[in-house]
Structure formats: C-alpha cells, structure tokens
Amino acid sequence: MQNFNKGFTLIELMAVIVILGILTTIVAVNVAPYLQRANFEKARVDLSQIEKALETYRFQHYVYPTTDQGLDALLSPPAEVKNPSLYPPDGYLPFMPKDPWGNEYLYLSPGQNTSKFDVFSYGADGLAGGEGENSDIGNWLKD
C-alpha cells in the first residue's frame, strides 16, 4: 500500500496565484473606464436633481439661495427666507447627495460659468482643474 500526500505543492499554489493575478489585471484594465464613466454619470444625475430643486426654490421664493446660504437652503429654510410658509416641510431634496468621490457639491450664486448659479464638483482629486477623473464637472457642462 502506497502512502501519498493529498495536497498542493508550493509550485502549484504559486501557479494558481499568478493566473489569478493575470485575470484580475485583465478585468481591472477592462472595467476601469466603465467605472470612471459611471462616476461622471452619477455626478450628472446629482447635478440635474440639485438644479431642479434650485429652480423650484427660485419659483417659490423669487431668488436663488445665496452662496452663503449654500445648498443647505434646499434642505431647511434659511433664516432670510421671505415666506417660510411656502417652504416644503421636507425641504426641496430628501438629502444632499455627495459627489461620487465622497465630497460635497459646491455652489456659487451668481455663477462664474452661468448667469444663474454654478453647482459643481472638483472631481476625484478635489482640486480645481485636472483631466480625466480629476476634471471638474458642473451644471454648465452639457453633453
């Protein structure tokens, strides 16, 4: 009767790890562009939702929130609101979304890129300018 060890040798385990590493690299290289595109699409959807809430705010209060009031004016009435009875009990948005990279959306009124207001994100790096995933995305960019 022969006594065989039932297990994997170190060479076999290393071969499997190398193959898994190659497959992971191939998948990552092919999926990365779609992930970047998904981040920009999420930001565009968020910006559109915030824009609509700002337009509704202006329709009811005749002005956009000031830069100092910021986007928080869409969640709870600012102290300076002229007619608090027109302010919806739950605000104009259920919550303020964060950009796909976890940063707050920024707001300027009046805008530097539009005459009404700018709502934007600085992208993945959180800094003005940049290219690719680090590029700024705002309501003035229409594709």
Side-chain angles (χ1 to χ4, degrees):
M1 190 166 158
Q2 293 180 348
N3 187 7
F4 291 103
N5 278 339
K6 299 199 180 208
F8 297 106
T9 66
L10 182 60
I11 302 279
E12 291 170 329
L13 286 174
M14 288 178 64
V16 168
I17 290 171
V18 167
I19 291 169
L20 288 175
I22 291 170
L23 290 174
T24 302
T25 302
I26 291 170
V27 168
V29 166
N30 289 320
V31 170
Y34 294 107
L35 180 60
Q36 181 178 347
R37 181 75 180 161
N39 285 339
F40 281 111
E41 289 304 317
K42 185 217 183 280
R44 282 191 182 100
V45 168
D46 288 348
L47 292 172
S48 176
Q49 184 181 26
I50 294 169
E51 253 186 312
K52 288 176 185 167
L54 285 164
E55 290 297 341
T56 304
Y57 182 99
R58 185 193 62 78
F59 180 73
Q60 292 183 331
H61 302 287
Y62 306 109
V63 295
Y64 293 109
T66 65
T67 299
D68 289 338
Q69 291 168 336
L71 295 174
D72 289 338
L74 301 175
L75 301 174
S76 61
E80 302 86 16
V81 72
K82 293 196 176 161
N83 194 348
S85 64
L86 290 177
Y87 199 92
D90 297 331
Y92 292 93
L93 290 172
F95 63 93
M96 186 56 62
K98 292 194 176 213
D99 74 11
W101 305 279
N103 302 314
E104 301 285 334
Y105 283 104
L106 304 168
Y107 173 72
L108 293 174
S109 177
Q112 294 176 343
N113 298 291
T114 68
S115 59
K116 300 176 188 179
F117 56 82
D118 292 348
V119 181
F120 58 100
S121 165
Y122 283 139
D125 64 357
L127 302 171
E131 294 181 11
E133 194 169 63
N134 294 330
S135 63
D136 301 349
I137 182 168
N139 63 316
W140 61 89
L141 301 170
K142 303 291 181 191
D143 285 340

